[in-house]
Short mmCIF file of all heavy atoms in Angstrom, two decimals:
data_model
loop_
_atom_site.label_atom_id
_atom_site.label_comp_id
_atom_site.label_asym_id
_atom_site.label_seq_id
_atom_site.Cartn_x
_atom_site.Cartn_y
_atom_site.Cartn_z
N THR R 1 -4.95 4.08 -4.93
CA THR R 1 -4.06 2.95 -4.97
C THR R 1 -4.19 2.17 -6.24
O THR R 1 -5.20 2.18 -6.90
CB THR R 1 -4.30 2.04 -3.75
OG1 THR R 1 -5.66 1.59 -3.76
CG2 THR R 1 -4.00 2.73 -2.45
N TYR R 2 -3.10 1.41 -6.55
CA TYR R 2 -3.07 0.57 -7.74
C TYR R 2 -2.35 -0.72 -7.35
O TYR R 2 -1.41 -0.70 -6.57
CB TYR R 2 -2.31 1.25 -8.86
CG TYR R 2 -2.80 2.66 -9.21
CD1 TYR R 2 -2.33 3.75 -8.50
CD2 TYR R 2 -3.77 2.86 -10.17
CE1 TYR R 2 -2.76 5.03 -8.77
CE2 TYR R 2 -4.25 4.14 -10.44
CZ TYR R 2 -3.75 5.24 -9.75
OH TYR R 2 -4.19 6.47 -10.05
N TYR R 3 -2.82 -1.84 -7.89
CA TYR R 3 -2.24 -3.15 -7.54
C TYR R 3 -2.02 -4.02 -8.79
O TYR R 3 -2.80 -3.98 -9.73
CB TYR R 3 -3.16 -3.88 -6.58
CG TYR R 3 -3.28 -3.22 -5.22
CD1 TYR R 3 -4.39 -2.41 -4.99
CD2 TYR R 3 -2.38 -3.42 -4.23
CE1 TYR R 3 -4.53 -1.79 -3.73
CE2 TYR R 3 -2.52 -2.81 -2.98
CZ TYR R 3 -3.61 -2.00 -2.74
OH TYR R 3 -3.75 -1.39 -1.54
N ALA R 4 -0.99 -4.81 -8.70
CA ALA R 4 -0.78 -5.85 -9.72
C ALA R 4 -1.84 -6.91 -9.49
O ALA R 4 -2.27 -7.17 -8.33
CB ALA R 4 0.61 -6.46 -9.63
N ASP R 5 -2.28 -7.59 -10.57
CA ASP R 5 -3.32 -8.60 -10.46
C ASP R 5 -2.89 -9.72 -9.50
O ASP R 5 -3.73 -10.32 -8.78
CB ASP R 5 -3.63 -9.18 -11.83
CG ASP R 5 -4.39 -8.23 -12.70
OD1 ASP R 5 -4.99 -7.26 -12.16
OD2 ASP R 5 -4.36 -8.40 -13.90
N SER R 6 -1.63 -10.02 -9.45
CA SER R 6 -1.11 -11.15 -8.67
C SER R 6 -1.24 -10.92 -7.15
O SER R 6 -1.18 -11.87 -6.38
CB SER R 6 0.34 -11.44 -9.05
OG SER R 6 1.16 -10.30 -8.79
N VAL R 7 -1.44 -9.67 -6.73
CA VAL R 7 -1.47 -9.39 -5.31
C VAL R 7 -2.80 -8.75 -4.83
O VAL R 7 -2.98 -8.56 -3.64
CB VAL R 7 -0.32 -8.47 -4.84
CG1 VAL R 7 1.01 -9.08 -5.28
CG2 VAL R 7 -0.49 -7.07 -5.44
N LYS R 8 -3.71 -8.54 -5.74
CA LYS R 8 -5.01 -7.92 -5.39
C LYS R 8 -5.73 -8.83 -4.37
O LYS R 8 -5.85 -10.01 -4.57
CB LYS R 8 -5.85 -7.74 -6.63
CG LYS R 8 -5.43 -6.59 -7.54
CD LYS R 8 -6.35 -6.44 -8.71
CE LYS R 8 -5.95 -5.26 -9.60
NZ LYS R 8 -6.83 -5.14 -10.78
N GLY R 9 -6.26 -8.17 -3.35
CA GLY R 9 -6.96 -8.88 -2.32
C GLY R 9 -6.08 -9.44 -1.23
O GLY R 9 -6.56 -9.89 -0.18
N ARG R 10 -4.75 -9.43 -1.44
CA ARG R 10 -3.84 -9.95 -0.46
C ARG R 10 -2.89 -8.89 0.11
O ARG R 10 -2.55 -8.93 1.27
CB ARG R 10 -2.97 -11.09 -1.06
CG ARG R 10 -3.77 -12.27 -1.53
CD ARG R 10 -2.85 -13.47 -1.92
NE ARG R 10 -1.93 -13.08 -3.02
CZ ARG R 10 -0.61 -13.10 -2.89
NH1 ARG R 10 -0.02 -13.45 -1.70
NH2 ARG R 10 0.19 -12.79 -3.90
N PHE R 11 -2.50 -7.95 -0.74
CA PHE R 11 -1.56 -6.89 -0.32
C PHE R 11 -2.32 -5.54 -0.22
O PHE R 11 -3.24 -5.32 -1.01
CB PHE R 11 -0.46 -6.72 -1.32
CG PHE R 11 0.54 -7.86 -1.36
CD1 PHE R 11 0.35 -9.04 -0.68
CD2 PHE R 11 1.73 -7.69 -2.05
CE1 PHE R 11 1.23 -10.11 -0.72
CE2 PHE R 11 2.66 -8.72 -2.09
CZ PHE R 11 2.41 -9.91 -1.42
N THR R 12 -1.88 -4.70 0.70
CA THR R 12 -2.46 -3.36 0.88
C THR R 12 -1.39 -2.35 1.02
O THR R 12 -0.51 -2.48 1.84
CB THR R 12 -3.40 -3.30 2.07
OG1 THR R 12 -4.47 -4.23 1.93
CG2 THR R 12 -3.99 -1.90 2.16
N ILE R 13 -1.40 -1.32 0.17
CA ILE R 13 -0.43 -0.21 0.28
C ILE R 13 -1.11 0.94 0.98
O ILE R 13 -2.27 1.23 0.74
CB ILE R 13 0.13 0.20 -1.09
CG1 ILE R 13 1.24 1.26 -0.91
CG2 ILE R 13 -0.95 0.73 -1.99
CD1 ILE R 13 1.99 1.54 -2.25
N SER R 14 -0.35 1.64 1.84
CA SER R 14 -0.89 2.78 2.58
C SER R 14 0.22 3.71 2.94
O SER R 14 1.41 3.41 2.77
CB SER R 14 -1.62 2.34 3.82
OG SER R 14 -0.73 1.70 4.75
N ARG R 15 -0.16 4.95 3.34
CA ARG R 15 0.84 5.89 3.78
C ARG R 15 0.42 6.56 5.04
O ARG R 15 -0.77 6.74 5.33
CB ARG R 15 1.14 6.92 2.66
CG ARG R 15 0.29 8.20 2.65
CD ARG R 15 -1.11 7.92 2.18
NE ARG R 15 -1.75 9.15 1.67
CZ ARG R 15 -3.06 9.36 1.69
NH1 ARG R 15 -3.88 8.42 2.15
NH2 ARG R 15 -3.54 10.50 1.20
N GLU R 16 1.40 6.99 5.84
CA GLU R 16 1.16 7.69 7.08
C GLU R 16 1.89 9.03 6.98
O GLU R 16 3.09 9.10 7.11
CB GLU R 16 1.67 6.88 8.30
CG GLU R 16 1.22 7.47 9.62
CD GLU R 16 1.48 6.56 10.77
OE1 GLU R 16 1.96 5.41 10.57
OE2 GLU R 16 1.25 6.91 11.94
N ASN R 17 1.09 10.09 6.68
CA ASN R 17 1.66 11.37 6.38
C ASN R 17 2.62 11.91 7.47
O ASN R 17 3.68 12.45 7.18
CB ASN R 17 0.56 12.39 6.14
CG ASN R 17 -0.29 12.04 4.94
OD1 ASN R 17 -0.53 10.86 4.63
ND2 ASN R 17 -0.82 13.04 4.26
N ALA R 18 2.20 11.80 8.74
CA ALA R 18 2.98 12.36 9.83
C ALA R 18 4.34 11.70 9.98
O ALA R 18 5.26 12.35 10.52
CB ALA R 18 2.20 12.22 11.13
N LYS R 19 4.50 10.53 9.50
CA LYS R 19 5.78 9.82 9.64
C LYS R 19 6.56 9.71 8.32
O LYS R 19 7.63 9.10 8.26
CB LYS R 19 5.55 8.38 10.16
CG LYS R 19 5.02 8.36 11.62
CD LYS R 19 4.96 6.94 12.11
CE LYS R 19 4.56 6.91 13.57
NZ LYS R 19 4.51 5.49 14.08
N ASN R 20 6.02 10.29 7.24
CA ASN R 20 6.66 10.20 5.93
C ASN R 20 6.98 8.74 5.62
O ASN R 20 8.12 8.42 5.16
CB ASN R 20 7.93 11.03 5.86
CG ASN R 20 7.64 12.50 5.58
OD1 ASN R 20 6.53 12.96 5.67
ND2 ASN R 20 8.69 13.26 5.18
N THR R 21 6.03 7.89 5.82
CA THR R 21 6.25 6.47 5.64
C THR R 21 5.16 5.79 4.80
O THR R 21 3.97 6.13 4.93
CB THR R 21 6.28 5.76 7.05
OG1 THR R 21 7.36 6.35 7.79
CG2 THR R 21 6.58 4.30 6.88
N VAL R 22 5.60 4.89 3.95
CA VAL R 22 4.68 4.10 3.13
C VAL R 22 4.82 2.63 3.57
O VAL R 22 5.89 2.12 3.87
CB VAL R 22 5.03 4.21 1.63
CG1 VAL R 22 4.11 3.37 0.80
CG2 VAL R 22 4.98 5.65 1.18
N TYR R 23 3.66 1.97 3.64
CA TYR R 23 3.63 0.58 4.08
C TYR R 23 3.14 -0.36 2.96
O TYR R 23 2.34 0.06 2.11
CB TYR R 23 2.71 0.43 5.29
CG TYR R 23 3.09 1.31 6.48
CD1 TYR R 23 2.45 2.50 6.69
CD2 TYR R 23 4.09 0.94 7.36
CE1 TYR R 23 2.76 3.32 7.74
CE2 TYR R 23 4.45 1.74 8.40
CZ TYR R 23 3.77 2.92 8.62
OH TYR R 23 4.09 3.72 9.70
N LEU R 24 3.52 -1.57 3.08
CA LEU R 24 2.97 -2.63 2.25
C LEU R 24 2.61 -3.83 3.18
O LEU R 24 3.52 -4.49 3.65
CB LEU R 24 3.96 -3.09 1.16
CG LEU R 24 3.36 -4.16 0.21
CD1 LEU R 24 2.30 -3.55 -0.67
CD2 LEU R 24 4.50 -4.73 -0.65
#
């Protein structure tokens, strides 16, 4: 994962392979 400095520690990106879905 990679994050902008403005959102580090507050936002989390993830993916769920079985659902072909990315979350924020």
Side-chain angles (χ1 to χ4, degrees):
T1 58
Y2 308 87
Y3 296 95
D5 290 340
S6 60
V7 305
K8 286 182 179 178
R10 300 190 300 118
F11 290 11
T12 301
I13 186 171
S14 62
R15 89 287 203 208
E16 190 168 356
N17 297 32
K19 293 186 176 181
N20 277 15
T21 302
V22 180
Y23 303 99
L24 183 68

